[in-house]
Amino acid sequence: DIWYSYLGNKNFATGNWSVPVRVTDNAPSEPGASRPNIFVAKHPESPGKAWTILAYEERKGLDALAGKYVVYHLFAFDDPTKGAVPAGAGVIISDPLENGRRVRFVAKGSAGSEQGTRIVLLWKQGVEDQGGPSDIMARVGYVPEGWDPLEATTTAAGFRPQDMKPAVIGSGDPETALGNEQPLNLSSAELDDRSTDEPIDDARAHRAIVVGDNIVVGYSYTPDQAVARFTVEENYDFYVRRSFDGGETWDEARNLSMLPKDRNAKEPRLVGTPSTVVDTCPTGEPDAEDTTNAADCQDKAVYYVAWGTDLNQRESISEGAIDLDLYMSRTTDFGETYEP
């Protein structure tokens, strides 16, 4: 099971954590949940209030198809039994007929100014279990038009299941969740491709950053998983894909690593610049008269990429992982160009 416990700011000194609450409701003989990801989103009535976003993978029952579901929760920071998706009522956001796992997300306190982008959810999904080929799938959460971030009844807008696109039914029941719209397929040539449209390619190690309504997603990819695993004629490279309208449209995936076939890209990272320091850069503009330290103004066009490499070996005669070099680069124009 996934369990939840919280510690309020006022209790930091004492370390008095709350009594853990079971978020999932699996009996000992039923499937298990694992790999939880969590984010605490600021509430306009903070301090004292906040939203907790939680997502994880959960194995399907023995009487269902093999694999896992990706399950999502949204509840009050200090009371997991209350909220849009409280403990015990998880919403399935993956395709219930396929194997969804390794969910990650990037959530923001404020929404994008144009499209209202507030959360991007990513996960691996494919038909096969136990390491079979998969694609990187996504849904994006948007605040509705006219959203008031200070209105108590709508502070969680953009995080709620009904705010996601492509749409989800908002149910933890697999049969009902079959009504979910298909998620975006970011590792395929077409966003509406099913994982079975290109059943032999494989994508993994998904990462993302979100700046306003601009999204960058990175992942390791091979066009043929079997050839990459059992020969040295194919490998995994690190690809990046961008959206400038909150995920409505995406540019073509770009291979940043461009490795020779004797090595693979592994464990990629995307890192954006930190937020502006308002005390020394009140307007966010480095040239403004009231800016006292231009280095404290966030440059939203800058982000960093990094990835490791290892020796590409035939799986049947592999000597185990042999790590090689680390690579790093930077863009100053939000991915139009990258430094060597």
Side-chain angles (χ1 to χ4, degrees):
D1 276 303
I2 304 298
W3 294 74
Y4 177 79
S5 182
Y6 66 89
L7 179 66
N9 288 351
K10 62 183 180 181
N11 293 329
F12 271 20
T14 62
N16 290 331
W17 288 83
S18 68
V19 175
V21 172
R22 191 194 305 258
V23 177
T24 49
D25 54 1
N26 297 321
S29 62
E30 292 180 342
S34 60
R35 295 195 179 102
N37 278 246
I38 197 168
F39 177 78
V40 179
K42 187 176 180 179
H43 192 286
E45 297 178 38
S46 176
K49 290 188 177 182
W51 294 110
T52 291
I53 298 166
L54 179 67
Y56 52 87
E57 60 187 52
E58 187 167 49
R59 185 158 291 281
K60 302 174 184 179
L62 297 177
D63 57 345
L65 300 175
K68 301 177 179 180
Y69 306 119
V70 173
V71 183
Y72 180 84
H73 289 265
L74 171 65
F75 48 74
F77 160 78
D78 59 351
D79 190 346
T81 66
K82 295 180 180 179
V85 191
V91 167
I92 296 174
I93 62 171
S94 58
D95 183 341
L97 294 178
E98 297 194 0
N99 181 19
R101 65 269 195 205
R102 295 185 182 272
V103 59
R104 295 187 176 103
F105 54 80
V106 179
K108 305 191 303 169
S110 58
S113 59
E114 297 296 328
Q115 277 75 30
T117 310
R118 206 176 187 199
I119 187 170
V120 176
L121 297 119
L122 303 167
W123 65 92
K124 283 165 53 75
Q125 184 175 296
V127 174
E128 296 184 33
D129 195 8
Q130 301 296 327
S134 62
D135 286 302
I136 304 304
M137 303 296 187
R139 297 191 196 276
V140 182
Y142 306 91
V143 298
E145 188 174 350
W147 172 65
D148 181 0
L150 299 180
E151 170 58 46
T153 60
T154 59
T155 58
F159 300 140
R160 303 169 303 183
Q162 63 264 37
D163 300 324
M164 295 182 187
K165 296 181 182 178
V168 296
I169 294 297
S171 173
D173 176 63
E175 284 195 30
T176 304
L178 288 173
N180 291 348
E181 291 184 9
Q182 286 299 307
L184 299 174
N185 189 334
L186 296 184
S187 58
S188 188
E190 302 296 333
L191 295 173
D192 59 355
D193 278 352
R194 305 291 293 263
S195 67
T196 50
D197 289 337
E198 293 289 344
I200 63 175
D201 66 348
D202 184 46
R204 57 178 64 168
H206 37 298
R207 304 287 188 264
I209 57 175
V210 184
V211 181
D213 290 303
N214 296 337
I215 306 170
V216 186
V217 171
Y219 51 85
S220 298
Y221 174 84
T222 182
D224 194 318
Q225 188 201 53
V227 174
R229 288 177 59 185
F230 300 113
T231 79
V232 292
E233 297 174 8
E234 196 50 86
N235 70 331
Y236 284 85
D237 270 305
F238 175 45
Y239 286 77
V240 165
R241 196 166 189 180
R242 303 172 301 162
S243 172
F244 299 100
D245 54 11
E248 294 291 334
T249 61
W250 295 79
D251 65 3
E252 293 186 4
R254 178 176 178 179
N255 185 344
L256 293 190
S257 55
M258 300 290 289
L259 295 171
K261 299 302 182 186
D262 66 346
R263 61 191 62 194
N264 293 308
K266 62 184 295 186
E267 297 299 337
R269 294 292 188 271
L270 291 168
V271 181
T273 50
S275 300
T276 290
V277 180
V278 295
D279 290 343
T280 54
C281 184
T283 65
E285 298 297 330
D287 298 328
E289 291 185 1
D290 53 359
T291 294
T292 58
N293 186 350
D296 284 345
C297 304
Q298 182 185 24
D299 190 338
K300 296 181 179 181
V302 172
Y303 63 84
Y304 299 82
V305 294
W307 61 90
T309 57
D310 65 6
L311 185 67
N312 187 13
Q313 306 174 70
R314 291 179 173 87
E315 189 172 291
S316 58
I317 55 173
S318 170
E319 299 178 13
I322 300 176
D323 291 327
L324 301 173
D325 297 317
L326 296 172
Y327 292 87
M328 177 180 174
S329 183
R330 180 182 71 161
T331 175
T332 59
D333 51 18
F334 210 77
E336 292 299 316
T337 60
Y338 292 87
E339 297 171 348

